Amino acid sequence: MSSTKIHPSWKPHLEDEFVKPYWSNLTDYVKNEYSTHICFPPGKLIFSAFDHCHFENLRVVILGQDPYHGPGQANGLCFSVNEGVKCPPSLVNIFKELKDDLGIPMTSNGNLERWADQGVLLLNATLTVRANEAGSHQNKGWETFTDAVIRIINEKKQHVVFILWGSYAQKKGAIINPDRHFVLKSAHPSPLSAYNGFWGNKHFSKTNEYLRQHGLKEINW
């Protein structure tokens, strides 16, 4: 991570972060964790969200919290799992809302690279986790980095749609300037909270309507 393998489109915007003390500490911590424990996602996929969604193409940001911590699930994109892996409950609910909103049929393929490749940054607040230990890599520096990513997008881009599901994402996205960007908020898609305002939020159609109004290409969800 010291010579961070992140997509070149992001490097000029994030290079200041890579020389800060917290980044060095985070790098050492993650390297040690991956060498002494089973961690997810695989090392080559830690920055997958940035590899698939290049800075110049970015039109939408969806904020998650933590990578999945079960075997074979996490692939570096929030809410996403590898093809062939059973969709977790939150992702099932996302697909249900997508069907209700835009009529897109439910799918068992939970790999959201198809969204990321169109300019949707699927950003977890924490980019790594120990196997079977939810939240185990929180408060080690990742949140500082992903806060910087949000700040840079907020300042350097215009007309980005930020989709904030749940109180954690909404708190993290509090710095977003609603005069420059479009901020969509609702309950989290988890079965524990989806009934509290996730259902019927129509965030997918609202995103495309906003992009269309600003002359930007819609997302093929």
Side-chain angles (χ1 to χ4, degrees):
M1 281 169 54
S2 50
S3 56
T4 305
K5 292 182 174 64
I6 198 166
H7 189 268
S9 69
W10 286 92
K11 282 200 167 173
H13 306 289
L14 294 171
E15 59 189 359
D16 288 351
E17 297 303 306
F18 299 146
V19 297
K20 291 180 179 176
Y22 87 85
W23 186 258
S24 176
N25 294 336
L26 175 61
T27 297
D28 292 343
Y29 173 79
V30 171
K31 283 180 176 174
N32 182 62
E33 283 286 294
Y34 272 73
S35 65
T36 56
H37 298 86
I38 297 173
C39 296
F40 302 124
K44 66 184 181 187
L45 297 180
I46 291 173
F47 296 105
S48 190
F50 303 90
D51 295 334
H52 284 277
C53 178
H54 304 164
F55 186 82
E56 63 273 11
N57 296 335
L58 186 151
R59 286 170 285 154
V60 180
V61 178
I62 299 179
L63 281 185
Q65 187 166 357
D66 217 34
Y68 297 121
H69 54 81
Q73 289 183 304
N75 63 3
L77 309 175
C78 74
F79 295 106
S80 174
V81 291
N82 290 309
E83 189 170 359
V85 174
K86 183 181 178 183
C87 291
S90 290
L91 184 55
V92 171
N93 285 346
I94 288 169
F95 288 154
K96 283 181 180 175
E97 175 58 27
L98 185 55
K99 182 176 187 291
D100 289 345
D101 185 7
L102 289 172
I104 294 173
M106 295 281 289
T107 176
S108 60
N109 178 6
N111 191 335
L112 301 181
E113 288 179 1
R114 58 187 182 273
W115 295 0
D117 290 337
Q118 297 179 72
V120 181
L121 184 66
L122 295 162
L123 182 66
N124 275 317
T126 305
L127 299 191
T128 57
V129 69
R130 266 192 210 178
N132 305 314
E133 293 186 41
S136 48
H137 288 185
Q138 291 177 2
N139 303 314
K140 304 296 183 185
W142 277 128
E143 295 90 343
T144 304
F145 173 68
T146 51
D147 281 349
V149 171
I150 294 167
R151 186 184 69 248
I152 288 161
I153 296 169
N154 180 55
E155 293 171 357
K156 295 190 176 185
K157 303 279 287 186
Q158 271 191 306
H159 307 314
V160 172
V161 182
F162 286 87
I163 296 176
L164 310 178
W165 292 328
S167 57
Y168 182 92
Q170 289 165 27
K171 186 177 178 184
K172 192 171 180 71
I175 65 163
I176 299 160
N177 181 350
D179 296 326
R180 286 175 66 90
H181 306 286
F182 187 38
V183 181
L184 291 168
K185 301 177 184 178
S186 82
H188 194 276
S190 160
L192 299 174
S193 57
Y195 65 90
N196 205 23
F198 177 77
W199 300 127
N201 65 25
K202 299 194 179 298
H203 281 180
F204 302 103
S205 59
K206 288 176 180 176
T207 292
N208 278 351
E209 184 182 351
Y210 177 85
L211 293 173
R212 190 166 60 246
Q213 286 174 352
H214 290 87
L216 298 168
K217 193 176 179 185
E218 298 175 39
I219 304 299
N220 180 12
W221 301 106

